[in-house]
Amino acid sequence: MKILVAVKRVVDYNVNIRVKADGSAVETANVKMSMNPFDEVAVEKAIRLKEAGLAEEIIAVSVGPEKSQETLRTALAMGADRGVHVRTDIDTEPLAVAKIIKAIVEKEEPQLVLLGKQAIDDDCNQTAQMLSALLGWSQGTFASKLEISGGTAEVVREVDAGLEKISIKMPAIVSVDLRLNEPRYASLPNIMKAKKKPIDQYTPEDLAIDVTPRVKTLKVEEPPKRSAGVIVDSVAALIDKLRNEAKVIS
Amino acid sequence: MSILVVAEHDNSELKTATLNTIAAAQKVGGDIDLLVVGHECNSVSEAAAKVVGISRVLAADAPELAHHLAENVAPILVNIAKNYSHIFAPATTFGKNIMPRAAALLDVSQISDISDVVSGDTFVRLIYAGNAIATVQSSDELKLVTVRTTKFEPVGAEGGSATVEALAGSGDSGLSSFMGQEVTESERPELTTAKVVISGGRGMQNGENFAMLEKIADKLNAAVGASRAAVDAGYVPNEYQVGQTGKVVAPDLYIAVGISGAIQHLAGMKDSKVIAAINNDSEAPIFQVADYGLVADLLTALPEFLVELEK
């Protein structure tokens, strides 16, 4: 089995983001960028499936600017075998990314595509479901467990009510949640080795995909700040404040 | 304009998230139909018909729709989409699972997790875990939108008198099947709709200590939540998680106990009207957003809290 895993380059999760002064976007220049944390979990799962003898090859794919190759190198250093970079400077929407990955799926013919359930920049939570729809494949979203045997996969999904277990037919699209696993750090020798692993390059035009945005960002603002309140010195004082000042408990 | 709202329910009860989503749809304006997809869910359709502001309830009832598998539900949306200018669903795990699948089939770029409606094509949504607010305009003819429920006051559940029309499903895709679920049964209010939420973090140290939060919750008619750290550590199940990737809550009172206040957690609770925090680390970022902070060891503070409440 071949596994395709999608990775996105995003502002590192530890960065306190800043909105550009002109209100056009969030500042990404000179900001630490990393692989989307959910995608790291997806890469890790692909590697574990390979280590368990269930997959022969892992292909990491990323859609984005030139520097997305750094994110691909991270995936390769973790253990993916090769990369596919679809280069575009357009801020692609999930629908466009899904169309691009579909084109790559048709070239590579994987049995499983793993994606993070959402990217921590746009928080859209769409790409996996869209890809699954476009391919007419099954979808297992928000997975915290994934087991594959024969032609089916069992997925435990994290849903609002708790956990849901479904069985999905392969080939399948699975979007992963953070509790699926703890991603490994790439070792130095593997980082060196990753530099020699091949990365195929395409543009959306090569794949005949129109990535023109359908949604225009009119403005980006900072949310209203909550200001710090008061520090009370005892439990009794806290309850008194909640009862008599905020009036939120009786 | 004509808007379809996808109802969230469990085949017996209509979920409040549906009422918040209708409120968002009303800000667009126009007729609103409510789609109920499920199995043996007549009681839901009946309840849906009573919701204020609904023109028609469309009910698709079939065995393969019982568990809202996206592969079976999305085609129903696709079949009736041509009748609508907008399709709205709550940005819950139910809506997040189904809507993008329908959007791709309809070749629509979905707008996720809106916090406000500016006009029929312009919406406000939160990005970067709520640390930035984007106003976006869709050029798609049909708009598919998921709604951050805490940002819209629910419409009334009683008082309407919509007609109920049966809608055919499109059969079982055969791609996926439901095998089972693990749901914690609780008498306490639901996390996303409770007026008071008390949440524990890594500082709770173990699952047993959550019993102290539960006792306080019972006194306050509150729901119990948790930070991701507490869920990852196995103290409580995943459905307790509040944050960027868990649930978003906006109660009248949010009490954070032993929670440091990572931005990913704040993303899920900073719209709470009043925030109280108990933490032994006076430098914890949670104190920067809390209205009332208490620097104390939670193992002594929580029993005291319970005693004081009873006074």
Side-chain angles (χ1 to χ4, degrees), chain A residues 2-77:
Chain A
K2 253 192 208 181
I3 300 175
L4 194 73
V5 54
V7 295
K8 183 177 185 183
R9 181 173 181 264
V10 298
V11 173
D12 186 85
Y13 78 102
N14 271 320
V15 169
N16 279 321
I17 59 114
R18 225 161 23 84
V19 171
K20 284 185 186 170
D22 66 359
S24 62
V26 166
E27 184 61 73
T28 54
N30 302 316
V31 171
K32 185 184 178 201
M33 305 292 280
S34 300
M35 187 190 296
N36 180 39
F38 290 88
D39 304 346
E40 287 183 342
V41 174
V43 174
E44 177 66 33
K45 183 63 194 180
I47 298 166
R48 291 193 193 181
L49 286 168
K50 189 180 171 191
E51 287 170 348
L54 287 161
E56 291 83 48
E57 191 182 29
I58 302 164
I59 304 150
V61 55
S62 192
V63 178
E66 191 63 36
K67 288 201 164 164
S68 296
Q69 290 204 17
E70 291 170 8
T71 310
L72 281 173
R73 291 288 168 205
T74 306
L76 297 173

Side-chain angles (χ1 to χ4, degrees), chain A residues 93 99 121-124 126 129 132 139 141 160 163 165 167 179 214 216 218 221 226 229 232 245, chain B residues 96-97 101 107 109 112 128 133 135 137 139-140 177 179-180 182 241 247 270 272 290 292-293:
Chain A
E93 289 163 10
K99 287 176 181 177
D121 49 5
D122 60 27
D123 283 331
C124 275
Q126 298 176 11
Q129 297 90 314
S132 167
Q139 72 180 51
T141 51
D160 291 338
L163 297 171
K165 192 193 248 186
S167 169
R179 271 179 287 275
R214 315 276 190 86
K216 190 172 155 191
L218 302 180
E221 299 159 279
R226 266 194 104 100
V232 297
E245 189 175 279
Chain B
K96 287 172 179 171
N97 188 43
R101 190 170 184 103
D107 196 36
S109 197
S112 288
Y128 288 88
I133 303 172
T135 303
Q137 184 175 35
S139 61
D140 282 314
S177 53
M179 297 177 74
E182 272 176 48
Q241 187 173 321
K247 286 178 180 148
K270 68 181 175 188
S272 305
Y292 303 108

